[in-house]
Amino acid sequence: MNYHTQMEAARKGIITKELAAVAKEENLVPEELRQLVAKGEVAIPCNVNHVALKPKGIGKALKTKINVNLGTSKDLVSLDSEVAKVKAAEEMGADAIMDLSTYGDTQSFRKRLSQECGAVLGTVPIYDALVYYNKALKDITAKEWLAVAEMHGQDGIDFLTIHAGLNRANAEKFKARRGRLTNVVSRGGSLMFAWMEMTGEENPFYEYFDELLEICRRYDITLSLGDALRPGSLHDATDGMQIEELITLGDLTKRAWEKDVQVIIEGPGHMPMDQIEANMKIQESLCHGAPFYVLGPLVTDVAPGYDHITAAIGGALAAWKGASFLCYVTPAEHLRLPDVDDVKEGIVASKIAAHAADLAKGLQGARSWDDAMSKARQEVNWEQMFALALDPVKARSYHESAPPEVENTCSMCGNMCAMKNMNDILNGKEVWIGGENR
Amino acid sequence: MNYHTQMEAARKGIITKELAAVAKEENLVPEELRQLVAKGEVAIPCNVNHVALKPKGIGKALKTKINVNLGTSKDLVSLDSEVAKVKAAEEMGADAIMDLSTYGDTQSFRKRLSQECGAVLGTVPIYDALVYYNKALKDITAKEWLAVAEMHGQDGIDFLTIHAGLNRANAEKFKARRGRLTNVVSRGGSLMFAWMEMTGEENPFYEYFDELLEICRRYDITLSLGDALRPGSLHDATDGMQIEELITLGDLTKRAWEKDVQVIIEGPGHMPMDQIEANMKIQESLCHGAPFYVLGPLVTDVAPGYDHITAAIGGALAAWKGASFLCYVTPAEHLRLPDVDDVKEGIVASKIAAHAADLAKGLQGARSWDDAMSKARQEVNWEQMFALALDPVKARSYHESAPPEVENTCSMCGNMCAMKNMNDILNGKEVWIGGENR
């Protein structure tokens, strides 16, 4: 091959087979998509070693994509349950899966994913370094941090979350300000902050960013520049530290693009609705149009057990106003590791947000799905409604759990069904209703 | 008393005890609230016969309120299960309850509600007319329709949904246009449309609107002017018929206010996110600042089983941009009559939307709840987090279902808990993590 990364190929005018596949899925002319990839406005995370990959594009000109987090933790180490979650996630249409395992034989799981899983794969090397080296955080060396990133590249991971924006300068500013309610809520960010504090060294992903770019170039890893300083509460949203880090990420984006390394930018977090649009604009400007990957945003802090809903509200708004990629949030957020049902709930909520955003931004073709569903409703065609439902299984089981007495209605309205009655009256039939009580 | 309605009292400069109670709950100066009620920008639905009422104010200067629909249908007639839903709704903080019963001994249930239930009560007389007269729709007379409204007033109902905007003129326009995918999806609206078609008569609520106002004045019933022509699909959103009806409702609002009758306006429905803000502005203008009561809006048609989420997205946006009152939507929407679990899910989703909107519009005091929760999170104070949660029972049961190995964390992150580790490192303690694998 005469290119290392999708970005390099695009810049050389080459339509790769991955780009062609994405263009087809998105109903775009390949040449248009090539220009977006060349500019960095679309990323096609696509590790050369991810043999099972079905490539996806991430960028605001495309369908909004969703990511599913899963992985083992010390409290829940079963690989089988994680594999069940991967299968559920793929079946339910997750575009990407991040393996955030923090315990057990993580490399076997990762390799299995890249051999078998078609979704775009992401990881956070910081977590895995603690597993892999099996020694205390403060004893891990700068070179070892980078070596884990390389290992993940070899294992076929398409994008790596790299917390390079929380460098010493930003950490010092953070300590000087101390105005936050919830400090650093990013897991990787807090570990890197603690490592810097304990060792006195610079963030290795920042200090050796050029070496990191060489690794990324080697495997065509997309950098997902992590927002270690994302707000973890409404109180901390859009504060100085969040924006300082975003400026740093914008600088790093340019350096990555100079080496043809693809970039996406991670974003909030907890944020009231009225700040979301401004945050999307600021990110676009500071990060030069690189796709924005948001976790939420959660529009209130008070709903643990329902953060798939708080995140769906924020995610829909964010994706409408510029985000390209939504990290799902499950009902278990803030409470426990999600189980497979939580994963499903999180995926559906996130897909609702993504599709609602695609509708709002007027994405070509997005509305035909809704129109088909509404036509099925008008025709009171239940089988068609189930077939078109985002979750056909739940839709059918709900409907069939309370069978209506009047055929082709539901137990909500029975013979008062507006669809049925309007069809009758508009077709010149009388509407026979009433006189049936007691 | 030297006034008939809260609006008349406000216009006469009287601070009623109901207005004083609402002012206290909303942290408003009573005189300010009085002016808003006098202008019609706040409604305090408050039937003189609703003895158990704890009054609430509805208007965009106040906290966003939520309504819970329930009631029997021919397929599910149990009064006990409806009473269980009323109790659940009150416990979970529903501001209003609409009894939409369409079968059985509806009057006993209604009277029981006004004797025992503190929430604001609403009904749709059209449904109940079919139950009460127990005869065919087309045989109900104009006088009988109005008599049911009067009966509901006597029974203590605070607001009545009256589909007066779908008059013959609008029905004729609707038939001439026929451009909709889902015609008329309002249950009451479709019945009134069918009645007009079958009898050839004018909509009695429109024809005898002055008589209706006399009834409302007698009991201080608030008119909830129904949107019979609300869009039931994204395709039909913000179409000519929806706006024609809204203009008619604006005219009726002025007539009601001339008789000191309080008004709220019902609104969509199914609507893509990008149309919501404009719809709120149009309603405010066409209906002269009368509070807007929206059902949803549902921001996509494709998610039956999850319409509490599609409605939470739309409701949050609507309430932020001007709606005052959200009708909840449950996961059972479009599929069956909701059960008590559906009711709970619907209430929580709706309360999330309402609170997210109050935060976004900067309502005084709204953020203190979130800040208290975030402080509890930073302190890893689980009991406090449960106490502050919108649904403490679910939050606790989730957390306790997967107990963490490391004290004061959760199974999501275990000893990688960012809160715990940041507290340690910022207090000069080393973060001991790593070296625990395998």
Side-chain angles (χ1 to χ4, degrees):
Chain A
M1 289 197 301
N2 52 352
Y3 61 85
H4 295 86
T5 71
Q6 292 291 326
M7 186 178 233
E8 188 184 356
R11 286 169 167 181
K12 288 181 168 172
I14 302 166
I15 306 284
T16 65
K17 70 176 195 301
E18 293 83 7
L19 188 142
V22 170
K24 192 174 172 196
E25 186 178 327
E26 304 277 350
N27 283 315
L28 283 178
V29 178
E31 174 55 22
E32 271 176 43
L33 181 61
R34 187 194 64 73
Q35 290 177 27
L36 293 171
V37 173
K39 281 191 287 186
E41 291 180 19
V42 166
I44 302 178
C46 189
N47 186 310
V48 292
N49 290 339
H50 183 180
V51 294
L53 177 68
K54 294 175 197 138
K56 300 272 180 178
I58 297 169
K60 74 175 184 177
L62 312 183
K63 280 197 281 282
T64 304
K65 303 303 185 299
I66 70 154
N67 174 71
V68 169
N69 288 337
L70 40 80
T72 58
S73 75
K74 192 169 183 185
D75 292 305
L76 285 167
V77 75
S78 155
L79 275 193
D80 284 348
S81 82
E82 294 316 296
V83 169
K85 289 180 201 168
V86 170
K87 292 206 170 126
E90 286 203 84
E91 275 166 23
M92 297 192 79
D95 301 293
I97 290 175
M98 287 193 80
D99 167 26
L100 306 186
S101 292
T102 57
Y103 206 75
D105 184 3
T106 55
Q107 189 167 31
S108 294
F109 184 49
R110 204 161 49 239
K111 285 184 170 171
R112 190 164 160 190
L113 285 175
S114 75
Q115 291 298 316
E116 297 176 16
C117 175
V120 178
L121 295 174
T123 59
V124 186
I126 286 184
Y127 306 165
D128 195 42
L130 286 159
V131 181
Y132 184 73
Y133 296 115
N134 197 22
K135 63 181 176 181
L137 172 65
K138 73 181 168 69
D139 296 331
I140 294 174
T141 65
K143 285 202 165 155
E144 285 173 336
W145 289 119
L146 284 164
V148 170
E150 168 114 38
M151 177 174 66
H152 284 216
Q154 280 171 336
D155 292 346
I157 301 302
D158 303 299
F159 67 96
L160 300 184
T161 294
I162 297 291
H163 299 89
L166 179 53
N167 54 16
R168 283 202 69 83
N170 284 334
E172 291 306 322
K173 281 182 201 160
F174 172 80
K175 285 193 289 178
R177 285 203 180 115
R178 289 297 288 274
R180 285 192 155 190
L181 250 184
T182 47
N183 294 317
V184 174
V185 299
S186 152
R187 198 156 63 166
S190 64
L191 293 172
M192 186 45 64
F193 182 86
W195 185 87
M196 288 191 288
E197 287 296 297
M198 293 191 290
T199 61
E201 291 183 39
E202 177 57 286
N203 179 330
F205 298 111
Y206 183 79
E207 187 169 9
Y208 303 107
F209 193 68
D210 287 328
E211 286 82 342
L212 181 67
L213 293 178
E214 286 309 314
I215 294 168
C216 292
R217 204 174 151 80
R218 201 168 304 144
Y219 305 98
D220 199 359
I221 297 166
T222 296
L223 274 179
S224 184
L225 291 174
D227 56 335
L229 292 167
R230 72 169 168 269
S233 53
L234 297 195
H235 177 276
D236 297 348
T238 324
D239 72 350
M241 289 319 307
Q242 181 199 321
I243 306 302
E244 291 269 16
E245 183 184 47
L246 199 60
I247 295 169
T248 307
L249 298 184
D251 293 343
L252 295 174
T253 299
K254 279 200 168 170
R255 287 174 59 190
W257 286 350
E258 281 166 17
K259 299 270 179 76
D260 304 321
V261 170
Q262 302 187 96
V263 174
I264 59 180
I265 306 289
E266 298 186 10
H270 291 235
M271 181 162 284
M273 280 194 290
D274 59 303
Q275 296 181 12
I276 291 175
E277 182 173 5
N279 267 267
M280 300 304 116
K281 277 283 164 212
I282 290 167
Q283 183 273 342
E284 186 178 18
S285 174
L286 293 178
C287 297
H288 323 293
F292 205 15
Y293 171 31
V294 295
L295 173 58
L298 279 58
V299 296
T300 168
D301 303 337
V302 303
Y306 301 88
D307 279 324
H308 59 310
I309 298 178
T310 67
I313 296 170
L317 200 48
W320 170 25
K321 297 300 184 179
S324 311
F325 192 23
L326 301 179
C327 186
Y328 90 152
V329 174
T330 80
E333 186 74 14
H334 297 111
L335 296 169
R336 73 172 189 210
L337 205 67
D339 66 18
V340 67
D341 289 331
D342 296 323
V343 168
K344 285 182 187 171
E345 283 279 311
I347 291 173
V348 171
S350 189
K351 284 182 76 90
I352 287 170
H355 183 59
D358 289 345
L359 292 164
K361 67 186 187 184
L363 194 80
Q364 184 91 28
R367 249 277 299 287
S368 57
W369 184 11
D370 298 73
D371 289 351
M373 174 65 86
S374 293
K375 186 161 183 293
R377 286 200 171 119
Q378 183 267 318
E379 293 167 350
V380 201
N381 181 340
W382 288 98
E383 286 304 319
Q384 184 70 358
M385 285 186 252
F386 301 147
L388 287 165
L390 187 51
D391 180 354
V393 175
K394 185 175 181 187
R396 181 186 293 276
S397 81
Y398 255 63
H399 182 66
E400 293 181 352
S401 68
E405 196 188 50
V406 182
E407 204 186 353
N408 277 345
T409 66
C410 79
S411 59
M412 174 76 94
C413 302
N415 64 4
M416 286 196 189
C417 174
M419 294 296 190
K420 180 177 76 62
N421 292 335
M422 286 302 296
N423 291 343
D424 284 349
I425 200 79
L426 290 173
N427 288 319
K429 288 194 218 165
E430 286 205 344
V431 169
W432 278 103
I433 184 170
E436 299 148 326
N437 200 38
R438 292 167 206 135
Chain B
M1 289 196 301
N2 52 352
Y3 61 87
H4 295 85
T5 71
Q6 292 291 326
M7 186 176 231
E8 187 183 356
R11 286 169 167 182
K12 287 180 169 173
I14 301 166
I15 306 283
T16 65
K17 69 176 196 300
E18 294 83 6
L19 187 142
V22 170
K24 193 174 171 196
E25 186 177 327
E26 303 277 350
N27 284 314
L28 283 179
V29 178
E31 174 56 22
E32 271 176 44
L33 182 59
R34 187 194 63 74
Q35 290 177 27
L36 293 170
V37 173
K39 280 191 287 186
E41 291 180 20
V42 166
I44 302 179
C46 188
N47 186 311
V48 293
N49 290 340
H50 182 182
V51 294
L53 177 67
K54 294 174 197 140
K56 301 272 179 180
I58 297 169
K60 74 175 183 177
L62 313 183
K63 281 196 281 280
T64 304
K65 303 304 186 298
I66 70 153
N67 173 72
V68 169
N69 288 339
L70 39 81
T72 57
S73 75
K74 193 169 183 185
D75 292 305
L76 285 167
V77 75
S78 156
L79 274 193
D80 284 347
S81 82
E82 294 316 295
V83 169
K85 288 180 202 169
V86 170
K87 292 206 169 126
E90 285 204 84
E91 275 166 23
M92 298 192 78
D95 301 294
I97 290 174
M98 288 193 79
D99 168 26
L100 305 186
S101 291
T102 57
Y103 206 75
D105 184 4
T106 56
Q107 189 167 31
S108 295
F109 184 50
R110 205 161 47 238
K111 285 185 168 171
R112 190 166 161 190
L113 284 175
S114 76
Q115 291 298 314
E116 296 176 16
C117 176
V120 178
L121 295 174
T123 58
V124 185
I126 286 184
Y127 306 165
D128 196 43
L130 286 159
V131 182
Y132 183 73
Y133 297 116
N134 197 22
K135 62 182 177 180
L137 172 64
K138 72 181 170 69
D139 296 331
I140 295 174
T141 66
K143 285 204 164 152
E144 286 174 334
W145 289 118
L146 285 164
V148 171
E150 169 114 38
M151 177 175 66
H152 285 216
Q154 281 171 335
D155 292 345
I157 300 302
D158 303 300
F159 67 97
L160 301 184
T161 295
I162 297 292
H163 298 89
L166 179 52
N167 55 17
R168 282 204 71 83
N170 284 334
E172 292 305 323
K173 281 183 200 159
F174 172 81
K175 285 192 288 178
R177 284 203 180 115
R178 289 298 287 275
R180 286 193 154 189
L181 248 185
T182 48
N183 293 318
V184 174
V185 299
S186 152
R187 197 156 63 167
S190 65
L191 292 172
M192 186 45 62
F193 182 88
W195 185 86
M196 288 191 289
E197 288 295 298
M198 293 190 291
T199 63
E201 290 184 39
E202 176 58 284
N203 179 329
F205 298 110
Y206 183 80
E207 186 168 11
Y208 302 108
F209 193 68
D210 286 328
E211 287 82 343
L212 180 67
L213 292 177
E214 286 308 315
I215 295 168
C216 292
R217 205 174 151 80
R218 200 168 306 143
Y219 304 99
D220 199 359
I221 297 166
T222 296
L223 275 179
S224 185
L225 292 173
D227 56 334
L229 292 167
R230 70 168 170 271
S233 53
L234 297 195
H235 177 276
D236 297 348
T238 323
D239 73 350
M241 287 320 305
Q242 182 199 321
I243 306 302
E244 291 268 18
E245 183 184 47
L246 199 61
I247 294 169
T248 308
L249 298 184
D251 294 342
L252 296 172
T253 299
K254 280 200 167 170
R255 286 174 60 189
W257 286 350
E258 281 166 16
K259 300 269 180 79
D260 304 321
V261 170
Q262 302 187 94
V263 174
I264 58 179
I265 305 289
E266 298 185 11
H270 292 235
M271 181 162 285
M273 281 195 290
D274 59 302
Q275 296 181 11
I276 291 176
E277 182 173 5
N279 268 267
M280 300 304 117
K281 277 283 164 212
I282 290 167
Q283 183 274 343
E284 187 179 16
S285 173
L286 293 178
C287 297
H288 324 293
F292 205 15
Y293 172 31
V294 295
L295 173 58
L298 279 59
V299 295
T300 169
D301 303 337
V302 302
Y306 301 88
D307 278 325
H308 59 311
I309 299 178
T310 66
I313 296 171
L317 200 48
W320 170 26
K321 297 300 184 180
S324 312
F325 192 20
L326 302 179
C327 187
Y328 90 154
V329 174
T330 81
E333 185 76 14
H334 298 110
L335 295 169
R336 72 172 190 210
L337 205 67
D339 67 18
V340 68
D341 289 331
D342 296 323
V343 168
K344 285 183 186 171
E345 284 278 311
I347 291 173
V348 172
S350 190
K351 285 184 74 90
I352 287 171
H355 182 60
D358 289 346
L359 292 164
K361 68 186 187 185
L363 194 79
Q364 184 90 30
R367 249 277 298 286
S368 56
W369 184 11
D370 299 73
D371 290 351
M373 174 63 88
S374 293
K375 186 161 181 292
R377 286 200 171 119
Q378 183 267 318
E379 293 168 350
V380 201
N381 183 340
W382 287 98
E383 285 304 319
Q384 185 70 357
M385 285 185 252
F386 301 147
L388 287 164
L390 187 51
D391 180 354
V393 175
K394 185 176 183 188
R396 181 186 293 277
S397 80
Y398 255 64
H399 182 66
E400 293 181 352
S401 68
E405 197 189 50
V406 182
E407 204 187 352
N408 278 345
T409 65
C410 78
S411 59
M412 173 77 92
C413 302
N415 64 3
M416 286 196 190
C417 174
M419 294 295 189
K420 180 178 76 62
N421 292 336
M422 286 302 296
N423 291 343
D424 285 348
I425 200 81
L426 289 173
N427 287 319
K429 287 195 218 166
E430 286 204 344
V431 169
W432 278 103
I433 185 172
E436 299 147 326
N437 200 39
R438 291 168 208 134

